[in-house]
Amino acid sequence: MKVKEIFNSNFAIYYEKVINRLSSPIQIDKWRKVLVKKAVAICPNASTAIDCCSGAGNVGKFFLRENPKAKLINCDISKPLLKLAKENFSNKENVFYVCSDNRFFPIKDNSTDILFSSFCVRNSPEPTLTISEAYRVIRSGGVWAILDFFRIEKESSLTKANNFIFKSFMNFTKLVAPSHSEAIDYLFESIKKFYTVTEFKNILLESNFEIAEIKEFMGGVANVLIAIKKEV
């Protein structure tokens, strides 16, 4: 599986320590904070949260600032990134780690109040299975907080400008580290092949989720979706 190979290679560390470290203070940490705050506003007393495709814990750290006593489970297919997460949360006794494909969570049914997934569903070889697994592990009335890049429905001047900035940044990282060019090209291709935000919203509605909110960034290049699992 290509995604598994990419994020268990040296690229995983390069992505976290170079690409993520450069881009997060500029834009992405702002999106992550919005993701967390909107989820916590709906589930302020969450006792358990899962961060699917957690990487090094970039969403989890913001969640624990809002809810420091909650149990946080970092779930990722990447062993190198989970190792970094363990280092980043080394002083936390309420943080746990699971190495798992995002199509098959080794998590009990109806066991989590909030499921975070940032830049996750897009990287699933079978997104519908990932959606089914999300539904299975979230309790009734619980929140699925999603952050991802989506295929653009209609380009505007703002979208074109932001796409140019994003692609220029990523192409710069290819020049700096040409050995990672294939992995970076994959990131572009994954967006082209992914759903539009409207298509994804409709799939969630068909999967028995309610959409509480959608917030776009960069003219719709990135979106936060807050979905609630319907009571059964």
Side-chain angles (χ1 to χ4, degrees):
M1 181 172 59
K2 190 169 186 179
V3 174
K4 184 176 181 179
E5 293 170 0
I6 287 172
F7 288 102
N8 278 285
S9 69
N10 291 334
F11 175 73
I13 302 301
Y14 177 77
Y15 182 87
E16 177 60 31
K17 294 194 171 182
V18 179
I19 296 176
N20 185 62
R21 192 161 293 180
L22 289 173
S23 60
S24 289
I26 299 169
Q27 285 280 15
I28 300 179
D29 273 351
K30 297 176 186 177
W31 307 346
R32 290 171 178 143
K33 289 175 183 177
V34 169
L35 182 78
V36 169
K37 285 187 178 294
K38 290 188 179 298
V40 170
I42 296 173
C43 286
N45 300 311
S47 61
T48 303
I50 298 171
D51 187 6
C52 178
C53 301
S54 64
N58 297 303
V59 169
K61 67 181 180 183
F62 294 122
F63 172 70
L64 290 181
R65 290 178 191 175
E66 299 286 335
N67 196 341
K69 294 183 179 180
K71 179 191 294 184
L72 172 65
I73 302 171
N74 291 290
C75 190
D76 202 292
I77 201 170
S78 172
K79 292 180 180 179
L81 292 180
L82 282 177
K83 183 179 178 182
L84 285 179
K86 288 181 181 180
E87 294 172 3
N88 291 336
F89 293 116
S90 60
N91 62 335
K92 303 288 186 182
E93 295 182 356
N94 56 328
V95 180
F96 304 88
Y97 312 90
V98 176
C99 188
S100 171
D101 189 308
N102 63 13
R103 296 170 294 176
F104 312 104
F105 301 146
I107 305 290
K108 292 181 180 179
D109 295 1
N110 307 304
S111 61
T112 189
D113 300 299
I114 301 174
L115 175 69
F116 294 106
S117 60
S118 57
F119 310 112
C120 176
V121 185
R122 175 174 47 82
N123 286 318
S124 174
E126 298 172 279
T128 54
L129 283 182
T130 300
I131 293 167
S132 296
E133 279 292 88
Y135 184 83
R136 181 182 65 79
V137 301
I138 299 170
R139 66 166 176 80
S140 292
V143 174
W144 188 9
I146 304 151
L147 166 63
D148 220 319
F149 295 117
F150 291 85
R151 181 164 49 85
I152 294 297
E153 296 176 305
K154 185 177 181 181
E155 282 201 339
S156 64
S157 56
L158 177 61
T159 301
K160 290 178 180 178
N162 281 306
N163 258 331
F164 175 77
I165 293 168
F166 173 62
K167 289 180 179 180
S168 296
F169 171 74
M170 295 302 286
N171 285 329
F172 170 75
T173 65
K174 287 169 64 174
L175 290 174
V176 173
S179 62
H180 297 312
S181 292
E182 183 180 357
I184 293 170
D185 286 339
Y186 158 77
L187 296 177
F188 288 125
E189 289 301 314
S190 69
I191 298 171
K192 291 179 182 178
K193 294 177 181 178
F194 196 43
Y195 304 112
T196 67
V197 71
T198 299
E199 289 170 341
F200 189 71
K201 178 194 74 173
N202 289 335
I203 292 170
L204 293 181
L205 292 172
E206 292 168 1
S207 302
N208 211 32
F209 285 98
E210 296 176 0
I211 306 300
E213 188 170 354
I214 300 175
K215 184 172 180 59
E216 69 173 36
F217 302 95
M218 295 177 67
V221 174
N223 286 267
V224 161
L225 289 90
I226 305 297
I228 300 172
K229 179 177 175 178
K230 291 182 181 178
E231 301 282 352
V232 294

